[in-house]
Amino acid sequence: MGNIYVAHLVVVVVVFCFLPCLCQGDSDDATTSDVYVVTLRHAPVSHYYGGLRREVNGFKDAAAAPGRTQFKKPRRYGNITKTDKRYGSYISRVHDSLLKKVLNGEKYLKLYSYHYLINGFAVLVTQQQAEKLSRSSEVSNVVLDFSVRTATTHTPQFLGLPQGAWFQDGGFETAGEGVVIGFVDTGIDPTHPSFDDNKYEKPYPVPAHFSGICEVTRDFPSGSCNRKLVGARHFAASAITRGIFNSTQDYASPFDGDGHGTHTASVAAGNHGIPVIVAGHHFGNASGMAPRSHIAVYKALYKSFGGFAADVVAAIDQAAQDGVDIISLSITPNRRPPGVATFFNPIDMALLSAVKQGIFVVQAAGNTGPSPTSMFSFSPWIYTVGAASHDRVYSNSIFLGNNVTIPGVGLAPGTDESKLYKLIHAHHALSNDTTVADDMYVGECQDAYKFNKSLIKGNLLMCSYSIRFVLGLSTIKRASETAKNLSAAGVVFYMDPFVIGFQLNPVPMKMPGIIIASTNDSKVLTQYYNSSLEIDAVSKKIVKFGAVATICGGLKPNYSNVAPKVMYYSARGPDPEDSLPHEADILKPNLLAPGNFIWAAWSSVGTDSVEFLGENFALMSGTSMAAPHVAGLAALIRQKFPNFSPAAIGSALSTTASLYDKSGGPIMAQRSYASPDQNQSPATPFDMGSGFVNASGALNPGLVFDSGYDDYMSFLCGINGSAPVVLNYTGQNCALYNLTVYGPDLNLPSITISKLNQSRIVQRTVQNIAQNESYSVGWTAPNGVSVKVSPTHFCIGSGERQVLSVLLNATLSSSVASFGRIGLFGNQGHVVNIPLSVMVKISSNTTTS
């Protein structure tokens, strides 16, 4: 999901929420070409090498015990890769033959052949031609392409990595070594020191299981990849056919012209100890969560238009074929997929095949919160991450001559603390040939030539912060340059009174400066300023500027605030099952991670935030920043437990999550865009999933919940009317799955029931990956529901499984969601948390709330 920019409106602006098309001929729908994703009935390559298999064997970690059940990743390596490439070429020819046969001399353009995760292709055709393809006996599914959008120096310390997860496995020098994380994003700047493979004395190993390549272009020359950045490709065929690809701005290469992809890659896997210097100020040293892991880049998102599913699916298909261990997606669709269920869309179904191959998939929840059911990551095989704050904040303030201090933002130095400076409003410092009537935006201080330098020199220049700053028509950087060219002592931005609902990120400034983000505080400043002016009664000219102030500065961070809390923009559950939407019996999000005010690497030409243009690091916010935190931590789990299934990795992250903030109170959730800190309440599982990520705990979960491809297929087959859709996407008949599995019955580390009709029993199976341990079971029931878990005590040996039965009874009819929790408490210190969420409750009692 796109970043929460330096400032943004209370309304989420989706620039590319429509589906552009390339027209051929007239405007009639039948002759208008568009991109379609076509899947065939024949199974893809990945399905021939099986799903997750279980073997009784020993773990590779030091605590392994004989007879323990191994989570076996499928064979993806060795000779299979070479065979797949030959098979891929053959499949491509089959696709070409089918198109020629069905379209018989008509014009079309095939963009991609998919063969690894799905068997199909992307093709530019008319609606009539798409209908012809859909009628072919060899074709199972034809879907119109859709658009998608893009959804740290201190967070390793906040997550306890140096003394916790890193320390457990040898320190940052080895954290994540051998694990390849694939990023489907806006590319990467390979010149950034966060991706240098000569950072450590010990050279990076070559990941033997990875077979990806590095594209070589003019802006991504030979040598861009190394032992750290092991692969890089770009995918833009769908965008190019629409005529919207700008090669100058978007770069037809893996190079990142946006900044977003460079940022997310470094959050997860950037080198440790890289100095963060922005606007000449040092803000500490940056590190990824798994600084020793490897990066593979699959660019499918672009600054000028976002991206399209056809390109994203091609990127995912290639990443899986290359042998990545983890896929990180800081992107979401622009709309809920239509049809039987949201799970049935080309991206999610490709990711299901990736999970079958043992790849852990992480996706940003989306920046569409705080409304309920605003989630844009849907499927239970995808690990969905919401955004939370962390405990570092940058605060600035200005002290006025009337002894009033006004808070603000701005990564800027302060003025001399022992001195008060005159405040000069931009409108009162115009040059002789400039008037407000001539330039209504002159108060935004974008042009130094329009001001009287002698009047401003040595004083504080006051400038208006309007909607034009949000739109990029005016910038803080340009106003600061104006103040510097006029020899001002500093610059003060007040909020335009007609602008409301802004949330401002700290903005870097080389000179003393502050942005007063509140319109009320801005009124306090302007009233003080106006009341301090001395104006000649006759000429009406200002004869004295009486207002004085000093800027305190905002370079030093403050670590005293309560954190984490769910950010207002983070998308919320319940998970929408369809476009109506009905609620799914799946908990989303799965987890919270730091996503607000995250320092990370930035592309040297990144334009995603104009205020960081030309900088090597940027401070960004969004669920886009939260997802790669979890991708990096998943790499640490994969490193320690190389045979964990994707579900086991997700279970380890979920069951160990924290439910409390730094002060020991419940995690809070912001409930509104306007004044979010004044509109908050305790977070529910629909806000935070299982809780806030606990990096150290996830490496020692004790018990895990496991699920596999067959479980997810049984779940999909259990959706009413889904059998033909399942067949279309997977080529598999639901009749082969004797037991359909409904959402509450999936072996997830959570229980979510959208409609509890009187009573229901659900079961969960846990497996012990630690030593022998005795557990006691406790729970808190959701309001209007009684809960009973059996057994209430159990002893479980290393590698053994235990089935838990949970009986839920509706005691009160209600349509208001309520929440509880089951806790498993081990005598060796392991604690396993299972959130309970029940929405509609129908009791045999007639009482209703």
Side-chain angles (χ1 to χ4, degrees):
M1 187 63 193
N3 306 330
I4 302 300
Y5 294 100
V6 172
H8 70 274
L9 284 166
V10 296
V11 178
V12 176
V13 179
V14 181
V15 179
F16 294 98
C17 59
F18 57 92
L19 190 64
C21 62
L22 179 63
C23 295
Q24 297 177 342
D26 59 33
S27 60
D28 182 79
D29 287 344
T31 58
T32 299
S33 295
D34 215 326
V35 177
Y36 291 82
V37 177
V38 180
T39 51
L40 307 186
R41 298 191 187 281
H42 200 265
V45 167
S46 62
H47 288 215
Y48 288 109
Y49 298 104
L52 296 175
R53 296 175 300 177
R54 308 278 172 78
E55 293 181 4
V56 176
N57 212 330
F59 272 100
K60 295 181 181 178
D61 58 288
R68 192 182 287 180
T69 301
Q70 183 174 3
F71 297 84
K72 181 66 176 177
K73 291 200 300 177
R75 291 168 55 229
R76 294 189 283 126
Y77 313 133
N79 294 329
I80 293 176
T81 300
K82 295 179 181 178
T83 304
D84 288 350
K85 289 179 179 178
R86 291 197 297 268
Y87 183 77
S89 177
Y90 164 73
I91 286 292
S92 181
R93 293 195 298 272
V94 170
H95 295 165
D96 292 336
S97 176
L98 172 65
L99 283 164
K100 287 178 183 177
K101 181 176 69 175
V102 174
L103 300 182
N104 193 21
E106 298 177 19
K107 290 182 179 180
Y108 64 88
L109 178 63
K110 189 186 77 170
L111 309 181
Y112 297 108
S113 274
Y114 311 125
H115 72 272
Y116 195 73
L117 295 180
I118 63 173
N119 179 13
F121 50 85
V123 63
L124 181 71
V125 290
T126 65
Q127 183 179 340
Q128 270 187 347
Q129 291 173 314
E131 290 169 356
K132 283 185 182 180
L133 285 167
S134 69
R135 291 193 293 269
S136 169
S137 61
E138 298 168 64
V139 172
S140 65
N141 205 32
V142 178
V143 178
L144 182 67
D145 193 14
F146 56 88
S147 56
V148 298
R149 54 190 168 191
T150 56
T152 79
T153 55
H154 176 64
T155 47
Q157 285 74 26
F158 184 61
L159 296 173
L161 293 177
Q163 291 77 40
W166 289 349
F167 179 77
Q168 292 179 31
D169 285 327
F172 69 83
E173 297 91 345
T174 60
E177 186 169 282
V179 180
V180 181
I181 307 176
F183 296 89
V184 180
D185 214 298
T186 65
I188 196 166
D189 182 350
T191 66
H192 199 283
S194 291
F195 314 122
D196 186 356
D197 66 349
N198 291 316
K199 170 67 178 171
Y200 308 108
E201 291 183 8
K202 180 185 173 185
Y204 270 95
V206 176
H209 65 274
F210 183 77
S211 61
I213 66 168
C214 191
E215 281 184 21
V216 175
T217 67
R218 184 175 61 182
D219 22 71
F220 209 83
S222 177
S224 294
C225 288
N226 52 39
R227 290 173 177 238
K228 174 72 172 177
L229 175 57
V230 294
R233 300 174 185 247
H234 86 289
F235 303 84
S238 183
I240 291 170
T241 62
R242 302 164 190 273
I244 61 174
F245 187 87
N246 183 335
S247 59
T248 302
Q249 182 177 343
D250 295 317
Y251 296 93
S253 77
F255 186 80
D256 184 10
D258 179 276
H260 188 273
T262 299
H263 198 279
T264 57
S266 70
V267 168
N271 284 328
H272 181 270
I274 307 301
V276 178
I277 298 174
V278 175
H281 311 303
H282 185 212
F283 292 98
N285 296 322
S287 174
M289 301 299 102
R292 190 71 172 175
S293 61
H294 306 274
I295 294 169
V297 169
Y298 302 88
K299 178 179 174 182
L301 281 294
Y302 298 84
K303 170 62 180 175
S304 62
F305 57 86
F308 294 93
D311 295 326
V312 171
V313 170
I316 294 168
D317 192 70
Q318 189 62 59
Q321 185 177 346
D322 289 348
V324 302
D325 299 289
I326 295 163
I327 291 177
S328 180
L329 290 163
S330 286
I331 62 172
T332 61
N334 277 329
R335 57 181 173 84
R336 292 191 190 103
V340 175
T342 52
F343 319 119
F344 294 113
N345 67 81
I347 294 176
D348 284 36
M349 296 310 291
L351 292 172
L352 175 59
S353 289
V355 169
K356 183 181 183 184
Q357 292 305 106
I359 300 169
F360 183 69
V361 178
V362 186
Q363 186 177 27
N367 294 343
T368 46
S371 304
T373 324
S374 52
M375 183 62 51
F376 274 87
S377 175
F378 313 110
S379 299
W381 52 87
I382 298 171
Y383 203 79
T384 305
V385 186
S389 64
H390 56 95
D391 65 344
R392 182 196 59 208
V393 293
Y394 293 95
S395 57
N396 201 339
S397 61
I398 182 170
F399 178 77
L400 306 181
N402 61 354
N403 290 324
V404 172
T405 299
I406 298 176
V409 298
L411 300 171
T415 50
D416 186 341
E417 294 179 2
S418 62
K419 183 178 178 182
L420 291 172
Y421 299 81
K422 281 185 181 178
L423 286 163
I424 309 290
H425 194 289
H427 286 170
H428 299 151
L430 300 178
S431 58
N432 291 332
D433 55 354
T434 302
T435 65
V436 175
D438 295 332
D439 184 355
M440 62 186 296
Y441 304 118
V442 70
E444 295 169 10
C445 306
Q446 300 295 293
D447 189 350
Y449 295 104
K450 296 183 177 182
F451 297 96
N452 182 339
K453 183 174 182 177
S454 61
L455 191 59
I456 296 171
K457 184 177 181 180
N459 298 318
L460 299 179
L461 177 62
M462 286 176 59
C463 307
S464 171
Y465 191 102
S466 77
I467 187 64
R468 288 167 52 84
F469 283 83
V470 180
L471 300 176
L473 302 175
S474 298
T475 69
I476 297 292
K477 183 174 286 188
R478 206 176 304 139
S480 297
E481 289 171 355
T482 295
K484 181 181 178 182
N485 291 335
L486 296 171
S487 301
V491 59
V492 179
F493 296 91
Y494 64 91
M495 195 62 64
D496 188 304
F498 298 103
V499 178
I500 59 172
F502 281 93
Q503 297 297 325
L504 289 169
N505 278 356
V507 179
M509 290 183 266
K510 292 184 177 180
M511 70 182 307
I514 186 173
I515 309 167
I516 299 172
S518 161
T519 53
N520 289 334
D521 288 338
S522 295
K523 287 179 184 176
V524 172
L525 172 67
T526 54
Q527 286 171 358
Y528 166 65
Y529 175 82
N530 290 329
S531 66
S532 302
L533 293 173
E534 288 188 19
I535 301 175
D536 183 85
V538 178
S539 66
K540 305 298 182 183
K541 291 183 178 181
I542 298 172
V543 294
K544 182 180 179 181
F545 295 92
V548 292
T550 188
I551 298 172
C552 301
L555 295 178
K556 293 182 179 180
N558 180 347
Y559 297 99
S560 63
N561 73 317
V562 176
K565 66 176 65 173
V566 186
M567 297 308 299
Y568 62 92
Y569 52 79
S570 188
R572 311 297 167 91
D575 185 18
E577 184 174 85
D578 53 36
S579 57
L580 290 177
H582 292 110
E583 296 86 1
D585 295 315
I586 305 296
L587 180 62
K588 293 290 177 178
N590 295 98
L591 195 72
L592 289 178
N596 207 54
F597 298 163
I598 305 298
W599 281 117
W602 198 244
S603 174
S604 55
V605 297
T607 57
D608 196 16
S609 173
V610 67
E611 305 302 346
F612 290 96
L613 185 63
E615 302 287 356
N616 278 335
F617 284 86
L619 189 72
M620 307 301 288
S621 296
T623 56
S624 280
M625 286 66 247
H629 277 88
V630 172
L633 297 175
L636 303 183
I637 299 172
R638 172 55 55 86
Q639 181 186 25
K640 182 174 182 180
F641 301 108
N643 296 309
F644 262 23
S645 69
I649 293 174
S651 171
L653 288 161
S654 292
T655 60
T656 58
S658 174
L659 305 175
Y660 304 101
D661 64 21
K662 189 179 175 185
S663 68
I667 293 174
M668 303 297 283
Q670 296 177 337
R671 301 293 179 192
S672 71
Y673 289 99
S675 304
D677 282 332
Q678 281 71 54
N679 293 279
Q680 58 184 23
S681 59
T684 74
F686 290 162
D687 302 313
M688 66 176 181
S690 292
F692 185 77
V693 65
N694 176 353
S696 299
L699 289 174
N700 184 24
L703 303 177
V704 295
F705 298 74
D706 195 24
S707 298
Y709 178 79
D710 286 346
D711 301 309
Y712 300 131
M713 285 294 293
S714 296
F715 160 72
L716 292 175
C717 288
I719 297 171
N720 189 32
S722 67
V725 188
V726 171
L727 181 64
N728 288 345
Y729 269 111
T730 67
Q732 294 179 261
N733 196 320
C734 281
L736 299 175
Y737 292 88
N738 296 324
L739 178 65
T740 55
V741 174
Y742 300 103
D745 301 314
L746 273 173
N747 197 43
L748 303 175
S750 60
I751 296 174
T752 305
I753 299 177
S754 59
K755 186 175 182 179
L756 178 61
N757 191 348
Q758 297 190 35
S759 67
R760 180 163 191 163
I761 296 176
V762 298
Q763 291 187 330
R764 290 293 183 269
T765 301
V766 294
Q767 182 177 350
N768 185 10
I769 64 155
Q771 301 302 316
N772 299 351
E773 194 162 1
S774 296
Y775 282 85
S776 59
V777 183
W779 60 86
T780 301
N783 185 47
V785 180
S786 68
V787 175
K788 182 179 181 181
V789 184
S790 59
T792 56
H793 296 84
F794 60 91
C795 296
I796 186 168
S798 180
E800 292 182 351
R801 291 186 177 89
Q802 173 68 50
V803 176
L804 301 172
S805 292
V806 183
L807 172 63
L808 301 102
N809 276 302
T811 59
L812 180 71
S813 294
S814 171
S815 59
V816 178
S818 55
F819 308 95
R821 194 165 296 274
I822 298 172
L824 311 180
F825 305 93
N827 64 353
Q828 301 299 316
H830 293 111
V831 177
V832 176
N833 280 303
I834 307 166
L836 298 175
S837 307
V838 182
M839 287 166 264
V840 177
K841 295 167 280 287
I842 302 173
S843 169
S844 56
N845 190 323
T846 56
T847 304
T848 303
S849 69

